[in-house]
Structure formats: structure tokens, C-alpha cells
Amino acid sequence: MPEDFRAILETFENQHPQRDYEIEISVPEFTSVCPKTGQPDFGTITISYIPESLCVELKSLKMYMQAFRNQGIFYENVTNEILNDLVAAMQPRWMQVRAEFTPRGGISSTITVEHYNETPPDELQVI
């Protein structure tokens, strides 16, 4: 993806870095383009994360997500790109990006990717 996509993302300081808490953000109108057919892909992107020192600013996240609207990109790639860009911007303790794409041709796909900041998943505790 273009490097300038990542530059769209803004962050703000986590006011409670001493506490593990989960933030869940839903983007129910995500759109990109199938690189093979040129047809639009529609889906819901759910971002869940436990912040470290930074949180993502929602208006910038909205603009970032909208930047994919005309991009030809496979489901698997866009899901991983979103995770990579958000992790680079925030360095969260844990993050999951779940992309649920609407059916086309009788097939639907759900892609889930995760990032752990050197903490095994069984040691994460959401309060």
C-alpha cells in the first residue's frame, strides 16, 4: 500500500497506561476493490486492542479506512496491512484486526490477524 496511508493515522496519549483495557472499534462500511475483477468489496473491519502509551484518533482512522476505497487489494492483504499500519503507529500491547467481507458469488470470507507485544496471549488480562 502507499506509504502515505500510514501517515493519515493520528494518535493521542493513553491516559491510563498502567491498566490493561480493551478498545474495540467497528468499521461497518469498509470498501476496497478486488484486484482480479475490479468489483467493489464490502466488509466490516473490527479493530480490538490493548493500548500501551498511544491510542488511535478516530477521525484519522476513518480517513485511513476510506483511503482503501479505490485500492485493488486482496482481503488477506488489506487485513494484514491495516494491522501493520496500526501497530507501527501505536505499538499496542495487543491488537487484533478482524475483517468480515460480505458474500460474493456465494462465498464469504473472514480474515483475523493479531499482534502481541512480547506478551503471550494467555497472560493478557482485560480488566
Side-chain angles (χ1 to χ4, degrees):
M1 294 311 310
E3 286 292 323
D4 57 338
F5 277 34
R6 187 176 288 178
I8 295 170
L9 293 169
E10 296 178 23
T11 60
F12 63 91
E13 191 174 322
N14 178 9
Q15 299 297 301
H16 302 280
Q18 74 286 357
R19 177 177 297 133
D20 281 354
Y21 63 98
E22 184 175 343
I23 298 170
E24 183 176 286
I25 302 165
S26 180
V27 183
E29 298 175 345
F30 181 81
T31 306
S32 59
V33 175
C34 174
K36 292 291 245 180
T37 66
Q39 295 181 356
D41 289 324
F42 303 99
T44 297
I45 306 290
T46 304
I47 301 160
S48 302
Y49 70 99
I50 297 174
E52 182 68 52
S53 60
L54 298 172
C55 298
V56 68
E57 192 278 323
L58 294 180
K59 181 179 177 187
S60 74
L61 180 63
K62 177 180 78 170
M63 301 305 288
Y64 169 83
M65 290 296 187
Q66 289 175 350
F68 286 98
R69 183 165 305 232
N70 296 317
Q71 295 297 311
I73 188 167
F74 290 108
Y75 298 157
E76 298 81 0
N77 193 20
V78 74
T79 309
N80 278 281
E81 287 293 325
I82 291 168
L83 179 73
N84 292 344
D85 290 348
L86 289 170
V87 166
M90 295 186 296
Q91 295 300 311
R93 293 179 188 160
W94 168 82
M95 179 174 280
Q96 179 185 80
V97 176
R98 182 175 175 86
E100 298 176 70
F101 290 92
T102 57
R104 186 166 3 121
I107 298 175
S108 63
S109 294
T110 300
I111 314 302
T112 305
V113 293
E114 290 185 287
H115 162 80
Y116 304 99
N117 191 10
E118 299 183 30
T119 303
D122 57 336
E123 291 183 23
L124 291 175
Q125 295 182 7
V126 178
I127 299 173

